[in-house]
Amino acid sequence: MIIAANLKTNFTRAKTTEYIEEIEKFIKQNSISQEILIFPTSSSLNLHNGEAIIGVQNAYATINGAFTGEIGQEQLEEFEIKTILIGHSERRHVLGETQDELIKKFNFYKELKYKIVYCIGEPLEIREAGHAKMMQYISAQYDGIDTNYENLIIAYEPVWAIGTGLTPTLEDIIVIHKELKKKSHAPLLYGGSVKVTNANDVLALDGVDGVLVGSAALNADNFCTMIEFAQNIEIN
Ligand code: PGA
């Protein structure tokens, strides 16, 4: 399974290093065979040689150039980063990235063979418009995306579940993941208020290949507990 931590705009470089060390100590001590991804802030990226895969939360579709405030492939290459999160709900809804921009970004980093975690998910008003409308909305987020890309991971994260403590029911997750699996064979993660208290149930569901965790992952012990859940489910 794939267990991913999105640290968002949290932790300094020093704290991130400490955090990664703690997670990796746990991975080693417990012979964890799951794929662990950690997405720190761009300013905390570093050369890294360990069990977890370190990815970037965002980058511009460029090698370098005149894009004030952005980072490009040249800056990622310095730290041997080959994994990127694209389409996260906060990029779409808070920072206003459009599907066209995301497609451009996706194609650029796909061309460079990056592992891409591509996020999809509906806002509350779409969810409330009924299942058909919701699936239509989510389908549109696949537009222009190569769903057969070999280094693709998809994360289904309902916007209304992110950072709110709300989650769909387990039954809802099963139904939605089943439909999404028809669109792509890429591993499919669930994200949105995954916590120690619900992670085991979510990870055990059919069609769930892992989780993308935000706030609950900021506590290294909690994140390690979720890694352990995944490990136990997979070996049993
Ligand atoms: P959350 O965030 O776990 O805090 O809901 C998930 C995410 O944004 O990926």
Side-chain angles (χ1 to χ4, degrees):
M1 288 198 200
I2 300 165
I3 312 296
N6 176 7
L7 303 182
K8 307 191 181 184
T9 318
N10 295 295
F11 295 175
T12 59
R13 170 181 286 265
K15 171 72 192 162
T16 302
T17 306
E18 203 180 288
Y19 176 86
I20 294 172
E21 276 171 12
E22 214 174 318
I23 304 294
E24 294 197 319
K25 192 168 146 212
F26 179 84
I27 295 174
K28 266 199 217 145
Q29 279 176 351
N30 296 278
S31 309
I32 298 293
S33 52
Q34 312 305 304
E35 184 170 330
I36 310 304
L37 306 179
I38 301 174
F39 296 92
T41 63
S42 304
S43 61
S44 303
L45 295 178
N46 223 333
L47 271 175
H48 169 261
N49 184 7
E51 278 71 24
I53 296 172
I54 310 301
V56 68
Q57 295 172 19
N58 177 51
Y60 204 65
T62 191
I63 301 289
N64 53 31
F67 304 100
T68 302
E70 297 285 341
I71 61 170
Q73 190 267 341
E74 189 176 281
Q75 289 75 41
L76 298 178
E77 198 178 25
E78 183 180 12
F79 301 118
E80 295 171 1
I81 300 296
K82 290 292 271 180
T83 301
I84 185 168
L85 203 57
I86 294 181
H88 188 275
S89 129
E90 283 142 21
R91 301 287 327 164
R92 290 180 191 265
H93 300 285
V94 182
L95 284 310
E97 274 183 35
T98 64
Q99 187 67 20
D100 282 350
E101 285 166 328
L102 297 174
I103 292 170
K104 221 171 129 191
K105 203 171 274 196
F106 185 97
N107 288 334
F108 183 83
Y109 285 99
K110 177 191 144 190
E111 205 55 39
L112 294 166
K113 309 243 176 327
Y114 272 57
K115 186 191 286 285
I116 298 176
V117 179
Y118 181 68
C119 305
I120 53 172
E122 80 292 348
L124 188 59
E125 66 273 19
I126 302 292
R127 175 108 184 162
E128 287 173 341
H131 187 76
K133 286 246 166 60
M134 178 180 80
M135 293 315 296
Q136 209 178 1
Y137 181 95
I138 299 172
S139 289
Q141 295 177 323
Y142 284 78
D143 285 354
I145 300 298
D146 177 3
T147 52
N148 294 315
Y149 175 47
E150 68 214 21
N151 279 330
L152 172 64
I153 297 168
I154 297 174
Y156 169 60
E157 301 199 297
V159 179
W160 53 272
I162 295 177
T164 58
L166 303 171
T167 55
T169 63
L170 297 176
E171 189 52 43
D172 280 346
I173 298 174
I174 293 175
V175 170
I176 296 165
H177 274 229
K178 197 170 173 192
E179 290 192 41
L180 297 181
K181 282 276 184 182
K182 292 182 197 151
K183 297 177 160 299
S184 171
H185 296 304
L188 182 58
L189 315 185
Y190 169 79
S193 294
V194 174
K195 314 230 174 283
V196 165
T197 46
N198 61 16
N200 203 22
D201 291 339
V202 172
L203 285 164
L205 297 176
D206 272 353
V208 172
D209 302 309
V211 285
L212 175 54
V213 190
S215 31
L218 294 176
N219 179 308
D221 287 344
N222 286 348
F223 190 57
C224 290
T225 302
M226 295 186 232
I227 293 172
E228 198 174 11
F229 287 155
Q231 180 77 7
N232 289 338
I233 289 168
E234 202 140 279
I235 58 177
N236 284 327

